[in-house]
Amino acid sequence: MNKETLDLVYCLDENYNIQAITSAGSFLKNYKNKVRIHFLHNNPKSIKEYIGHLEKFKNLEEINIYKFENNNQLEIPKSIHEHVASEATYYRLFMHQFLPQTISKLLYLDCDVITMNEITNSIDNIFNQIKSSKYSIGAINYLISNNEINDLMLNNLGMSSGKYFNAGVLFLDYKKWIEANIGKNILSHAQLMIKEKELPEHDQDILNSYFDGKFFTLDKAFNYPILERFYKKDRKEMESANFIHYLGAQKPWALNGILNNTSKYYQKN
């Protein structure tokens, strides 16, 4: 087993402090090797009062908090606020400017992702597979069928692969990332995309357009989409997943989702 320290990163603003800590705690509980956690944040002071909740985990090596600065490198679309989203979703595109270049295994999680089961061997095996592959990134392909809507989306993004990943869980071979200057290249690509394209899924569209299917495809269990209307049908599969991801507008911490059956997995943590 590879005992190399794993680096876990979250990108957020102060509205997602509790959610990020909850997500990180669920990961530390289910991953047994050493972990460094990185928070790329718009207001670092606001999360510091919560990080004590993570210090009880013996596998936590350290926590680093970085103040996000755009410095006019990227004009984040104003439409992000119309979609009730946060500009922090674009912070993923800047990670290379803040994280140490000595990182090897980097796992990115959205704040609404919860780790469900013991995952140490599974996580390490995936990183080893990506390392020996031609890819620098691992993700879950969310396009399971060809239809007119998907074709229009891919065409709009200039993609030809027929594959599209959800960026809520990303496995990065960070050595390859740095050596190939991928972070800088993605940021340059983002500048063009924002000027020329409609981006309903914001930076996720940018990442997919850049890689266009060139990613290590992971099993659905590593980014299992949770929607309340599918709870009864999917419950067994959901509970055996590695990561569950609360998609859609109904969140387990919000009034419109707190009483849902699916919210209990978040509330438990």
Side-chain angles (χ1 to χ4, degrees):
M1 186 185 299
N2 189 348
K3 296 291 186 179
E4 189 174 30
T5 297
L6 176 120
D7 287 88
L8 176 63
V9 61
Y10 291 89
C11 300
L12 68 151
D13 61 27
E14 56 193 358
N15 295 312
Y16 280 81
N17 287 335
I18 294 174
Q19 292 88 334
I21 296 297
T22 303
S23 175
S26 73
F27 183 81
L28 289 168
K29 182 172 67 176
N30 288 290
Y31 183 81
K32 303 309 177 188
N33 293 339
K34 290 292 184 181
V35 180
R36 282 186 296 259
I37 299 180
H38 308 269
F39 295 109
L40 183 50
H41 205 293
N42 74 327
N43 181 10
K45 288 183 180 179
S46 69
I47 198 172
K48 286 183 178 178
E49 66 177 288
Y50 298 103
I51 61 175
H53 294 285
L54 302 177
E55 292 173 351
K56 65 182 179 181
F57 293 99
K58 294 180 180 179
N59 55 333
L60 177 63
E61 195 168 279
E62 64 178 307
I63 295 177
N64 297 297
I65 308 173
Y66 312 91
K67 172 73 169 71
F68 176 75
E69 298 286 353
N70 185 346
N71 295 324
N72 298 316
Q73 296 175 80
L74 189 67
E75 186 177 351
I76 295 175
K78 295 178 181 178
S79 64
I80 187 118
H81 302 294
E82 297 169 6
H83 289 81
V84 199
S86 165
E87 72 170 24
T89 185
Y90 281 87
Y91 295 0
R92 284 181 287 207
L93 306 182
F94 295 83
M95 292 189 300
H96 64 286
Q97 296 184 357
F98 297 90
L99 300 180
Q101 294 193 1
T102 54
I103 287 174
S104 177
K105 302 186 300 185
L106 181 64
L107 176 65
Y108 167 86
L109 297 181
D110 273 355
C111 298
D112 55 1
V113 170
I114 295 295
T115 309
M116 292 289 284
N117 295 292
E118 214 290 329
I119 54 167
T120 309
N121 290 339
S122 298
I123 293 287
D124 291 345
N125 287 338
I126 286 175
F127 274 111
N128 287 335
Q129 290 178 64
I130 295 174
K131 183 178 181 179
S132 61
S133 77
K134 61 182 179 181
Y135 303 111
S136 62
I137 185 171
I140 289 79
N141 181 21
Y142 264 26
L143 290 193
I144 57 175
S145 63
N146 294 323
N147 56 55
E148 185 177 355
I149 293 175
N150 288 341
D151 289 344
L152 285 172
M153 176 190 71
L154 295 173
N155 287 335
N156 172 59
L157 296 175
M159 297 173 60
S160 60
S161 65
K163 297 171 69 177
Y164 184 96
F165 62 78
N166 179 280
V169 177
L170 298 174
F171 288 71
L172 307 182
D173 184 325
Y174 206 62
K175 287 184 177 179
K176 291 181 185 176
W177 198 271
I178 295 299
E179 289 170 0
N181 217 9
I182 292 174
K184 183 179 179 181
N185 293 338
I186 288 175
L187 208 50
S188 297
H189 184 68
Q191 292 170 340
L192 295 174
M193 292 291 290
I194 289 171
K195 289 178 182 177
E196 298 176 359
K197 302 287 186 180
E198 289 291 325
L199 302 171
E201 298 299 329
H202 302 289
D203 69 310
Q204 180 172 277
D205 283 343
I206 292 169
L207 290 167
N208 272 280
S209 173
Y210 178 82
F211 287 103
D212 196 3
K214 295 181 177 67
F215 61 91
F216 186 88
T217 304
L218 303 176
D219 187 89
K220 184 181 180 181
F222 286 96
N223 189 350
Y224 196 94
I226 283 206
L227 292 169
E228 178 68 14
R229 66 180 182 271
F230 298 132
Y231 173 72
K232 289 184 179 179
K233 178 175 70 72
D234 294 346
R235 179 177 177 178
K236 287 185 179 179
E237 191 175 13
M238 188 184 298
E239 291 182 347
S240 64
N242 297 301
F243 298 120
I244 59 171
H245 188 182
Y246 287 92
L247 300 182
Q250 293 186 355
K251 301 299 186 183
W253 57 82
L255 288 176
N256 67 356
I258 197 169
L259 297 180
N260 286 347
N261 290 300
T262 53
S263 71
K264 61 188 176 184
Y265 308 114
Y266 172 84
Q267 299 296 340
K268 181 181 178 181
N269 285 279

